[in-house]
Amino acid sequence: MNIEKYDEIRASLPAGVRLVAVSKFKPAEDIAALYQHGQRVFGENHAQEMKAKHEVLPQDIEWHFIGHLQTNKVKYIAPYVSLIHSIDSLDLLKEVNKQAVKNNRVIPCLLQFHIADEETKFGFTLDECTAMLDSAEFQELKNVKIHGVMGMATFTDDQGQVRREFHHLHDIFDTLKTRYFSQNPDFKELSMGMTDDYPIAIEEGSTLIRIGSAIFGPRNYSV
Ligand SMILES: *Cc1c(COP(=O)(O)O)cnc(C)c1O
């Protein structure tokens, strides 16, 4: 783990930008060490892994779910998750609402948009999303609250392209804010920026950067 890099990133954040420390694939001990150092917001992308870590780590950690979420896994995170960044369908949102009702809570969510020039990244198009927001079914969901949008830029060295994609996500945010969420003060989050592109994301208006490898080191996916 690179505490110096962590401190450097924290010190560089403008007011209004929060850091999600992405701890996926990393052991609970690493999270505990960063917690000791003052970090409270952690991001995971597997529901069972998040559940296992939640059970053994301090209860005041804010757990953010950032990866693709299958409907049958929502139950593992619904009791405690602070923010789900990756809502990409009405079916998923309905399941989150259902599990939120069971747990007698309201779950904050972000709408994930497909902004990258890659087939593999999940997310809505603007048309898909507005169709959902206009639907009667969406209006009925009382136990989810939409706090903003999330997106991942293309994995490329072309910084101009990355900037355009983040700019596009900011435009989507503004459009939705005006059309659907002008009366919702909680709709204020723009989750964008990872280890390789977070400085550009911040320049383009990010409020939540999601940083993993710069802090925790490279991930070993084979473990
Ligand atoms: C893994 C992951 C991150 C962090 O990636 P790094 O490049 O290690 O900072 C951020 N967002 C999502 C959605 C991820 O899956």
Side-chain angles (χ1 to χ4, degrees):
M1 187 157 65
N2 190 339
I3 289 283
E4 274 168 30
K5 184 67 185 173
Y6 170 81
D7 286 339
E8 188 191 310
I9 295 170
R10 278 290 294 266
S12 75
L13 295 185
V17 182
R18 287 190 297 153
L19 167 63
V20 180
V22 177
S23 46
K24 64 191 190 195
F25 295 96
K26 297 294 173 180
E29 298 80 68
D30 286 13
I31 301 174
L34 203 60
Y35 177 90
Q36 288 299 325
H37 199 67
Q39 179 67 20
R40 290 294 177 272
V41 184
F42 291 89
E44 292 282 339
N45 70 344
H46 284 110
Q48 278 119 319
E49 184 179 343
M50 185 191 251
K51 178 179 192 284
K53 288 171 173 173
H54 168 259
E55 280 167 4
V56 299
L57 285 159
Q59 292 303 301
D60 62 341
I61 286 179
E62 258 189 58
W63 293 101
H64 286 206
F65 195 86
I66 63 168
H68 183 61
L69 182 56
Q70 291 169 277
T71 50
N72 61 347
K73 303 283 172 66
V74 175
K75 58 179 182 285
Y76 296 117
I77 65 171
Y80 56 86
V81 67
S82 289
L83 182 64
I84 299 175
H85 290 228
S86 43
I87 298 298
D88 59 3
S89 72
L90 178 58
D91 279 349
L92 177 58
L93 199 59
K94 281 160 68 179
E95 177 63 18
V96 172
N97 187 75
K98 187 175 143 192
Q99 296 296 331
V101 170
K102 271 193 190 163
N103 286 280
N104 195 22
R105 61 185 298 241
V106 173
I107 298 182
C109 295
L110 304 181
L111 304 171
Q112 181 172 357
F113 283 88
H114 182 102
I115 55 169
D117 188 16
E118 286 164 15
E119 277 303 313
T120 52
K121 288 177 182 159
F122 294 97
F124 289 109
T125 63
L126 184 57
D127 284 349
E128 288 165 355
C129 188
T130 56
M132 177 182 85
L133 296 174
D134 287 330
S135 71
E137 278 182 295
F138 173 78
Q139 314 292 332
E140 284 163 14
L141 306 178
K142 301 299 181 209
N143 288 62
V144 289
K145 186 117 200 235
I146 307 299
H147 282 212
V149 302
M150 181 271 221
M152 292 167 83
T154 304
F155 186 69
T156 171
D157 290 334
D158 182 346
Q159 308 240 315
Q161 180 176 356
V162 170
R163 185 178 297 280
R164 282 191 299 281
E165 290 171 357
F166 286 148
H167 199 93
H168 180 211
L169 187 61
H170 199 156
D171 284 344
I172 290 172
F173 173 89
D174 289 343
T175 300
L176 296 181
K177 178 84 188 168
T178 306
R179 275 174 66 177
Y180 299 96
F181 299 106
S182 59
Q183 305 303 314
N184 173 1
D186 291 322
F187 189 91
K188 59 180 168 49
E189 305 289 2
L190 249 170
S191 170
M192 58 187 193
M194 306 169 34
T195 290
D196 288 333
D197 55 20
Y198 75 88
I200 302 176
I202 290 172
E203 284 170 16
E204 295 301 329
S206 177
T207 64
L208 282 170
I209 57 169
R210 312 176 308 268
I211 310 269
S213 36
I215 299 170
F216 291 107
R219 287 177 289 273
N220 183 354
Y221 290 103
S222 63
V223 184

